Amino acid sequence: MTWEYKATLGFLLTEDVRKDDVLELPGRGDFVVVAVTPGRRLLSVIAIQEKRGAE
């Protein structure tokens, strides 16, 4: 059985966030960046965390 968590985050345009970066979210663990879209004021970042477990 596999499931994933998705995080949508905003960063300042000056931040260096790229696809495949690993972000550590306190209390949630590590997430891998799958998309970065620059906007007018912020970078829109989508990251996922995949989990595997027994049924």
Side-chain angles (χ1 to χ4, degrees):
M1 173 182 248
T2 302
W3 67 97
E4 67 183 34
Y5 293 105
K6 177 180 173 182
T8 303
L9 308 163
F11 287 88
L12 296 175
L13 291 172
T14 56
E15 295 290 329
D16 185 21
V17 180
R18 298 176 187 203
K19 188 175 185 249
D20 297 325
D21 281 355
V22 176
L23 304 175
E24 182 181 346
L25 301 181
R28 297 289 180 191
D30 293 339
F31 284 71
V32 177
V33 175
V34 294
V36 178
T37 307
R40 286 181 127 170
R41 297 184 181 128
L42 295 174
L43 285 176
S44 174
V45 175
I46 297 174
I48 61 169
Q49 178 187 54
E50 290 189 3
K51 296 276 190 176
R52 296 181 191 266
E55 275 190 58

